[in-house]
Amino acid sequence: MASRYTQGLLGPRRTEHAVYADHLGALSLPIGDDGVVVGNDAEGRPQVVGFHHPSPYDVVLIGGLWTAQVLALRLAGAGARVAVETGRAQVWTNLVQAAGAGQECITLYDVGRVPPMGPTVSSPVLVVRDCGMRPPRGRVASMPWQSVLTLLPYLSPVAPRLLRGASLVGIQRVSPDEAQQIGRVMQLPQQEVEALSTLGDGVTLWCTRRERQYALTQPTDAESGLLGTPRRLD
């Protein structure tokens, strides 16, 4: 009996699943251990964004604090270390205390005071830059396994530069004039440009110059209890 068990236990019996080769194209799986659900599309399908990569990755969110905080919570829950660079620590304090559960998974730093974080593939980092309309050039830049999310409440003079250098851009409701400027920089179709000034709270257009997808961020019970309902303005 002893020799039988030294070879390991037999695994559970499962029914085999098969799919025809010509049906493979219909499969869509949100794969990626560094990805988080940013919301659902119009058909209710989850939209997953991978924020961490083996190369530098910059994200710009023209939108509200609420969405940035939900993303910070979800990335921390997925195992990332989150550093928040902000000049308004008071709006982040409750989130940091609630997210920690005795551990410093989200930490706050004054503007320009984020130290080197030492990101690795097993310990990725997200730096959230909540530095107002004209964020100064950060001391800590994106690098392999360390992404930087810059939050802009509205379009500002520095926004075009940030948009051009971003790997991914999130856009929430903006004015028609702002929408036209963003559309030129991001090469959006006119239909998308016109839609940007009518987006509801919690809706974000995530885009590059080649791809774009709307996502409605719906909070979990824990997120809504901590942050309230989705809102564009703070």
Side-chain angles (χ1 to χ4, degrees), residues 41-83:
D41 66 11
E43 285 73 41
R45 296 171 299 198
Q47 300 300 296
V48 178
V49 171
F51 281 84
H52 294 106
H53 304 268
S55 58
Y57 198 76
D58 287 282
V59 181
V60 174
L61 173 62
I62 302 175
L65 174 69
W66 185 90
T67 301
Q69 291 186 329
V70 168
L71 292 175
L73 274 177
R74 292 183 180 183
L75 279 157
R81 290 177 291 142
V82 179

Side-chain angles (χ1 to χ4, degrees), residues 14-36:
R14 292 189 176 93
T15 303
E16 293 184 356
H17 297 276
V19 64
Y20 291 108
D22 57 356
H23 291 175
L24 289 175
L27 295 179
S28 177
L29 301 176
I31 298 174
D33 57 2
D34 62 345
V36 295

Side-chain angles (χ1 to χ4, degrees), residues 1-11:
M1 293 292 291
S3 61
R4 174 186 173 187
Y5 286 100
T6 57
Q7 296 178 5
L9 298 174
L10 294 175

